[in-house]
Amino acid sequence: MTNAVGKLLAALVVFAVIAGCASPPPPPPPAPAPAEAAAPAPVVPEWQTVEHRNTALGGNVPNWATMSTTELEEFEYPNDYVFRMEQNGANLEGTRVLLQNMNIPVEVARIVETRVEQTFAGAQVGDQDFLETYFENVVKVVAETNFSGLRRRDDFWIRQQNRESGAERYVYYALYTIPRENLDAQIQAAITGVPAVTEEEETARDRVREIFESGL
């Protein structure tokens, strides 16, 4: 009996040693890498330019027709304010006539009004009610001003085709500028021309004038 127990114990010891020497189980396979998101498809414009004024002569589209007005004022006309008008139509001559019949001074006044409002908003002075009230009167004067010094620089047209329907249209552009000093002076005159009766209104006028000293 004792001999049998001893043999059993010896067998268990040998089994434990063999188990301890066995190689560890292989590590689990790495998790598959997440699938890369597909690159977004390039945005294709709805309208494609198929012809422009300089096509027949092998020329290019002028920079001013594609650059923003901010870029034009910074790089092309640093001494001017830039205004680009645009008109769409079904045929070239009709589109050109529409643009010519546009009341350009009124359109310029509207654009100047918008820029005046943006400049004032960027000055972060909206917490003063009397200042806002005075400024509203300034905006009314600006909107009715026929700004002088406006110069027509160039015009350009393109013919476009709709990729889906095949429809065609013409887009006619016209470029205008006003010397910065000229327009800034007229803005200051508009500010001064709004009556300031009370001391608060006089303070508001001085503050608004200060905001626009550096231009639009």
Side-chain angles (χ1 to χ4, degrees), residues 168-189:
E168 292 190 350
R169 71 178 182 184
Y170 286 87
V171 186
Y172 217 108
Y173 303 96
L175 181 70
Y176 294 83
T177 62
I178 294 180
R180 282 183 174 271
E181 291 184 358
N182 191 324
L183 184 56
D184 289 344
Q186 293 178 74
I187 295 294
Q188 290 291 341

Side-chain angles (χ1 to χ4, degrees), residues 46-48 50 90 159-169:
E46 180 183 4
W47 291 89
Q48 178 184 18
V50 294
R159 180 169 63 89
Q160 294 183 314
Q161 187 175 58
N162 189 287
R163 290 180 178 273
E164 295 185 0
S165 66
E168 292 190 350
R169 71 178 182 184

Side-chain angles (χ1 to χ4, degrees), residues 15 27 46 51 54 131 172 187:
F15 177 78
E46 180 183 4
E51 184 187 12
N54 295 336
L131 185 57
Y172 217 108
I187 295 294

Side-chain angles (χ1 to χ4, degrees), residues 29-198:
E36 295 184 2
V43 178
V44 179
E46 180 183 4
W47 291 89
Q48 178 184 18
T49 298
V50 294
E51 184 187 12
H52 55 75
R53 191 183 68 181
N54 295 336
T55 299
L57 299 177
N60 299 319
V61 176
N63 289 337
W64 68 263
T66 58
M67 297 172 67
S68 67
T69 54
T70 301
E71 292 173 328
L72 287 171
E73 290 177 356
E74 182 175 357
F75 300 111
E76 301 290 332
Y77 300 95
N79 299 319
D80 299 310
Y81 289 111
V82 174
F83 306 91
R84 182 172 51 205
M85 306 301 168
E86 178 181 332
Q87 190 65 254
N88 300 338
N91 63 78
L92 180 58
E93 182 61 20
T95 307
R96 183 185 65 81
V97 170
L98 285 174
L99 186 62
Q100 288 183 339
N101 291 339
M102 182 184 294
N103 192 331
I104 301 300
V106 171
E107 288 298 312
V108 168
R110 180 184 60 79
I111 296 172
V112 172
E113 176 187 356
T114 300
R115 294 185 63 162
V116 165
E117 291 175 336
Q118 291 173 342
T119 302
F120 181 80
Q124 299 180 349
V125 293
D127 57 330
Q128 303 179 44
D129 292 339
F130 68 90
L131 185 57
E132 285 191 333
T133 300
Y134 182 85
F135 177 73
E136 289 175 0
N137 294 329
V138 171
V139 170
K140 291 178 183 178
V141 173
V142 169
E144 297 171 357
T145 300
N146 188 358
F147 295 102
S148 63
L150 186 65
R151 176 183 174 185
R152 185 181 177 116
R153 293 277 189 170
D154 199 2
D155 60 68
F156 192 76
W157 60 264
I158 61 176
R159 180 169 63 89
Q160 294 183 314
Q161 187 175 58
N162 189 287
R163 290 180 178 273
E164 295 185 0
S165 66
E168 292 190 350
R169 71 178 182 184
Y170 286 87
V171 186
Y172 217 108
Y173 303 96
L175 181 70
Y176 294 83
T177 62
I178 294 180
R180 282 183 174 271
E181 291 184 358
N182 191 324
L183 184 56
D184 289 344
Q186 293 178 74
I187 295 294
Q188 290 291 341
I191 295 171
T192 304
V194 177
V197 180
T198 67

